Amino acid sequence: MKKFHNKQLQNIICSIIAIVMIFGVIATVAYAEVVEPDAFQKVVLQVISLTEAQRTNFVDNVLDRITTANYKDYVDDAKAILRLSMSDSDMEKVLKSYAYYPDSHKSNLKNLIKVFGLPSKPYNTASFSDIERRINFGITGNSDDSRGFKLFVEIFKVIRTFNVSPVFYDHSDDFYKIDIRVSGNNTLKNEINALISSVESLANKGIESFDDFAEYIENEINTNSYAQIFAFKAFLKAELGTSAYEGTLPEPYGIDPLQKVFLAVINLPKQDRKDFVEKVLVKVTPSNYTEYVYEAKRILKVTISDAEMKAALKVYAGYSAEYRAQVEGMILGFDLAAVNIDTTGYGDLAAVINFEVTGNAQDVTGTKFIVGMLNYLSTFTGPMVFDGAEDPYKVDFNVQNNTAMKKHLDGLIKLIKSLENRGVTDFESFLVVAEDIINTNDNIQIYYFKKQLSDLYGRSVYDGTLPYPSAAPSPTPTPTPTSGDGGGSGGSGGSGGSSGGSTSTPAPTPTPTSVVEPTPSDLPAAPFNDVAGHWAEEFITKLAARNIVSGYPDGSVKPDIEISRAEMAVIVVKSVGLEPVENVSLKFKDADQIPAWAAGYVQAGVEAGIIAGYEDNTFRPSRNLSREEMVVLILKAYEFGSSENPEFNFIDASEIGDWSKPFVAKAVELEFVVGYPDNTFKPKKSVTRAEAFTVLIKAIEAKEAADAGLDAEAAEEAPAESGADESSEG
């Protein structure tokens, strides 16, 4: 029985690891013509993605019939069954290589193809999408090819079957990270080591054993955020079972636990704040803090894990008596529950503040904290918010000399650990950063922020004239934050769908035509710190000059990161001069996932026929925008129409969706987009911000040129028509 087990193990490991996962056996066939790895990999990936009937058809009608003399005759049959965009020469090389394989290897491969297929149902990887993309790239060479991640899962299912111990563990040095180990089965490990050591593509990376390979995968996973690694571990536990992942699934903190507790406490009514101080904070010590976890959670009435509460109380118990008394006094006197704000008109500005303070752009506690602190401090110092000295539409924070109060507030800032990343160590530095965060926003949003202070507190906090900005756009870019980055905005979906969700009323945005486009010679430098010398600098600068492209709070525009559908939706809708819908009523199934700063623009785009969702009536706002989605969105927005008879020379033309083909053909015709040097279009590839901005400005300029031409024709025809009428009457 043991002999059979080892034989079965050897067959499975040899077949799956060598042929499916590593795709490297082709490099060991010395007498076969060298095949481009991408072509061989593409064939294998496509084969295992087919249904069982299609895989059997490929084996019976192609592989079983191929010989070294006739392999060319089966190129068309192979491409037809695989439905694969590939040149005849590449397919011919792949089939030739197969024809020269040893009979034993052919047999293993054919058996594998018949029994092994990737799951057709996609995995839900939204919460660890960066990890999935890294694994996709490591296995398939394409970060958007989800078959790579599916392969990863299937391979480790096989490994787990023959391994006596779990494969995935919490890392010994940092239990929020992951550790991959195969132990207890020398036959398994020896087989894998032998296979890996013979694969040239892995050897080039210094990978010569399974331990090396595991370390490589670990590094790819562990370079991501704790939140993504946690979600990935949870997926492994759910998909592969507890016998595959042996860990405690430790949940990382989104923000510092004590900061989270403090922000929750100051949101409580006065009596609850008093109870929290008297029944928890004054009683905890370094030796008894665990005893107060339940009581603290009971009073807070917010979602917080036992581990987070325990960590928060442990830190607090270690503070000096003097500092604890200071914090407790602040909690009793600092009442956020009484701060009733309405971020209408400054939603983008508020979202940036929210993220800086709470780690969540949608958590209005951040804005309440800033507004409440300004009011609290002004009680002791007098007004501290003024119109900007150099630009009255901005703000200046000017605190009267009150050393004792500033020192008191230094202790408060110490509790907001997330601000440390911005160099905030005391109240003075906090004011500098807060002023900077506010002033990087659009003037109209700053106006509404000032108005909020004026409405709430009269002149006790804000002592200015509340100047209303003119219709001309502010020269300062408007940040459009997401839960982690600012900037940019949204996209069009593949097919039909209508609207849904949260409410947002961002400030009105002037149409692009309200700004005179400078000539290239007069074009100012882009107001971003990361585009000098970039290939898209000119295009980004042009959009910035039109107040269409927004930057991040740190002064960057991040041209090379991928842009989400929500981000691109906002940018395009703004660019055509549409106002965001105030009363949002989107009907997408995932409308609640569309950020408040984007929802009004998305609905405006839906109502204008620019934006559509997917067939399942989702919008998927956080998903990266693909090339074909970008093309459809921009062409619809600027009414360029579509091609009636789309034809392509791209070798991957079959991968372009039927819903997007007419638009892609039109965009190619207009020279808004081109293919890649290998004659592919890559319709599913995610686009970067720079790529999206480039196509957008091309469309804007083409539209303006066309409109100018029509105006000129109309001007020429008008006098001629008038003269004809006069002659007739005479």
Side-chain angles (χ1 to χ4, degrees), residues 553-606:
D554 64 359
S556 68
V557 74
K558 298 179 175 36
D560 296 319
I561 67 170
E562 291 154 337
I563 193 166
S564 74
R565 288 167 50 78
E567 288 174 336
M568 192 62 183
V570 175
I571 284 181
V572 172
V573 171
K574 277 185 176 181
S575 76
V576 296
L578 291 176
E579 301 287 351
V581 173
E582 293 189 8
N583 299 314
V584 179
S585 58
L586 291 163
K587 299 301 189 295
F588 294 122
K589 289 194 297 186
D590 58 350
D592 60 337
Q593 297 177 26
I594 301 175
W597 52 263
Y601 290 98
V602 171
Q603 179 146 344
V606 169

Side-chain angles (χ1 to χ4, degrees), residues 78 143 170 192 319 349 366 373 409 485 503 583 617 630:
S143 58
D170 296 330
I192 297 175
Y319 286 146
L349 187 157
M373 179 180 284
L409 289 171
D485 55 66
T503 304
N583 299 314
N617 194 31
M630 171 189 68

Side-chain angles (χ1 to χ4, degrees), residues 8-203:
Q8 181 187 35
L9 170 65
Q10 184 178 5
N11 287 341
I12 292 177
I13 294 300
C14 283
S15 297
I16 295 181
I17 300 294
I19 300 170
V20 181
M21 182 178 175
I22 300 175
F23 306 112
V25 287
I26 196 165
T28 67
V29 186
Y31 43 80
E33 182 177 341
V34 176
V35 179
E36 291 294 327
D38 285 349
F40 182 74
Q41 175 175 319
K42 198 171 185 179
V43 168
V44 176
L45 278 171
Q46 186 68 4
V47 169
I48 61 176
S49 300
L50 299 176
T51 65
E52 183 178 357
Q54 290 169 326
R55 297 198 306 272
T56 300
N57 183 24
F58 185 72
V59 170
D60 293 346
N61 294 303
V62 177
L63 299 187
D64 273 347
R65 301 183 181 187
I66 286 178
T67 68
T68 55
N70 70 3
Y71 62 87
K72 293 183 181 180
D73 299 338
Y74 289 90
V75 168
D76 290 340
D77 291 339
K79 290 177 67 176
I81 296 173
L82 294 178
R83 299 174 185 174
L84 190 62
S85 294
M86 178 181 285
S87 67
D88 288 353
S89 61
D90 276 349
M91 181 61 78
E92 183 179 309
K93 290 177 182 178
V94 171
L95 297 183
K96 180 178 181 180
S97 242
Y98 174 81
Y100 280 95
Y101 280 165
D103 289 342
S104 60
H105 187 71
K106 288 181 181 177
S107 177
N108 284 338
L109 176 57
K110 289 188 291 186
N111 289 336
L112 170 68
I113 289 174
K114 286 186 175 181
V115 302
F116 184 83
L118 293 180
S120 57
K121 184 179 178 181
Y123 293 122
N124 182 4
T125 60
S127 56
F128 56 93
S129 57
D130 291 342
I131 291 177
E132 183 211 16
R133 289 173 60 78
R134 282 178 175 270
I135 293 175
N136 286 342
F137 184 80
I139 292 179
T140 72
N142 180 355
S143 58
D144 294 317
D145 192 338
S146 61
R147 294 176 298 185
F149 184 75
K150 287 182 179 181
L151 271 174
F152 171 86
V153 174
E154 294 304 309
I155 293 307
F156 277 95
K157 281 182 180 179
V158 173
I159 291 176
R160 174 65 196 101
T161 301
F162 291 96
N163 199 48
V164 296
S165 302
V167 178
F168 300 99
Y169 302 83
D170 296 330
H171 203 282
S172 57
D173 294 332
D174 183 346
F175 63 88
Y176 293 125
K177 295 187 176 183
I178 201 165
D179 189 9
I180 302 174
R181 298 197 300 266
V182 172
S183 58
N185 192 319
N186 290 332
T187 303
L188 170 65
K189 204 161 186 178
N190 290 340
E191 290 290 350
I192 297 175
N193 287 344
L195 288 165
I196 289 179
S197 64
S198 67
V199 178
E200 184 178 353
S201 60
L202 293 178

Side-chain angles (χ1 to χ4, degrees), residues 710-727:
L710 291 175
D711 291 343
E713 289 180 10
E716 291 176 0
E717 292 173 0
E721 291 175 358
S722 174
D725 291 341
E726 290 171 2
S727 174

